Amino acid sequence: MAPKLLKALYPRSGEQDPMTTQAIYLDYAATTPVDSRVAAKMIPYLTERFGNPASRSHAFGWAAEGAVELAREQVAALVNADPKEIVWTSGATESNNLAIKGAARFNSARGKHLITIRTEHKSVLDTCRELEREGFTVTYLDVEASGLIDLDKLAAAIRTDTVLLSVMLVNNEIGVIQDVAAIGALCRSKGVLFHVDAAQAAGKVEINLETTPIDLLSLSAHKIYGPKGIGALYVRRKPRVRLEALIHGGGHERGMRSGTLPTHQIVGMGEAYSIARAGMAAENERIRWLRDRLWAGLSAMDEVYLNGDMDARIPHNLNVSFNYVEGESLLMGIKQLAVSSGSACTSASLEPSYVLRALGRSDELAHSSIRFSIGRFTTEAEVDTTIVLVTEAVAKLRELSPLWEMVREGIDIESIQWASH
Amino acid sequence: MAYSEKVIEHYENPRNVGAFGKEDEDVGTGMVGAPACGDVMRLQIKVSADGIIEDAKFKTYGCGSAIASSSLVTEWVKGKTLAQALEIKNTEIAEELALPPVKIHCSILAEDAIKAAVADYRSKHDSIETEAPICAPVA
């Protein structure tokens, strides 16, 4: 992150501030800072233009409504949709819940079978689990070693009672891009509704809903320099997709999502999407250059593996396993870097990343993985520092690793029968 | 996750990293854990003729708490008899390093490593079969 920004946030640096020891932010897939241009647009809607967009009887309400509708156009424009197809939510998690539960429940008379993918975000997987408790049946499709879906396997999984398929456009952990155009065409031909979680995709890959047969699409603001707490669900009008609402009270958003609209959040999302649309091509090119530089530096080490397909991948993501080094200990060694690990030790579960395991990665490699995600404010100098820090930490930890020593001595670790604990 | 200062200190300055000759008569080697579980500890002890642990070395693949736990036990076992070393309990390791509940398994692994190293040493010196530790590699 820009040192200037850090300084502005923490003028007395060094005082109990966890961010001063993590000067380099490479976790843009987790969240992004709000772009200052976005924040500037939002502020008036907190103070002067505070009206309720649902107030139809005075200028305060009209001003807020106008801002909300402009933002709706900005969001729709990024994905080439009609603004009327955009429903505001609290974020992509809610959008996924509304899309999947809403469509499944509304169409339950037609069938009670859903299909999703093992590598989906928890907000999709947990929602499907909830529907299973309600009596739906869910098929959790495997992915290939690349992280991508095999269309033939998907076609084989579709049944006569299948009502909905949910697939993410870009995976949050490994950044791979699914071929939603082909998947959508298959769904259309079989009469199956198609939901796409695009939280990690918007502003990074082209999305054209006019030409792509997607029925429902989840969007988030905070992954592309907008505020947290706001998202949207695209609900196709032609052919019309109908949902059962999750939140009732007032009939906002055409009955699909009640609740007073958070005007400032919506304005922020609209501005963030507008900036993303204008700058996407150039930004992707710059980020790809940084990503290639980072990968060239990291892959100079032995026993370093990229997780997920390199070609069908957003340039923002690099998910790397450093074999014979445990991910959490590596994070400790690179405290200056804000990155995330697929190692189990970061959570209470002791299970390594289910996404990496779904690719068929061994537990060892899953435990050794780090996700680097690059964004708008990443600099070349930050990438170069990252390469040095990671290389040093990996070398140090491999010196400490009995596995590395055994490999160096020519012992095949796979041949050892380890007792699990 | 926030680590205690002691865990960070051991992680940054691990004590007694390295290896003794596995086949040496005066060395006992204990390797516990499994790569798939995210931690493998190897503890080696060098025992004098009168049964005192003179030196200890470790190598660990695992999280910071696992590294700190094994580094700590190399310090603790030195100067102890085998029987005294076996009295070191995982709870003492966890307490010393202020390990949070999710990291208690690291201290258990360190205790197991002591048991495994002592058992290996004893197996070289008496023919009496000693009980195999729970987490040792089977072959």
Side-chain angles (χ1 to χ4, degrees), chain A residues 93-139:
Chain A
T93 291
E94 186 190 329
S95 298
N96 288 340
N97 270 265
L98 176 57
I100 298 169
K101 289 179 191 162
R105 288 174 185 162
F106 188 90
N107 293 289
S108 62
R110 273 180 47 216
K112 299 191 92 173
H113 179 239
L114 316 171
I115 302 173
T116 189
I117 312 298
R118 286 201 188 283
T119 51
E120 289 296 304
H121 190 261
K122 285 287 182 191
S123 58
V124 167
L125 295 175
D126 289 352
T127 299
C128 288
R129 291 275 180 231
E130 175 59 25
L131 287 170
E132 282 182 285
R133 277 191 287 276
E134 291 177 20
F136 288 86
T137 310
V138 182
T139 298

Side-chain angles (χ1 to χ4, degrees), chain B residues 48-62:
Chain B
S48 69
D50 51 355
I52 304 290
I53 299 172
E54 288 178 325
D55 204 355
K57 295 264 187 222
F58 88 96
K59 279 202 178 187
T60 289
Y61 159 85

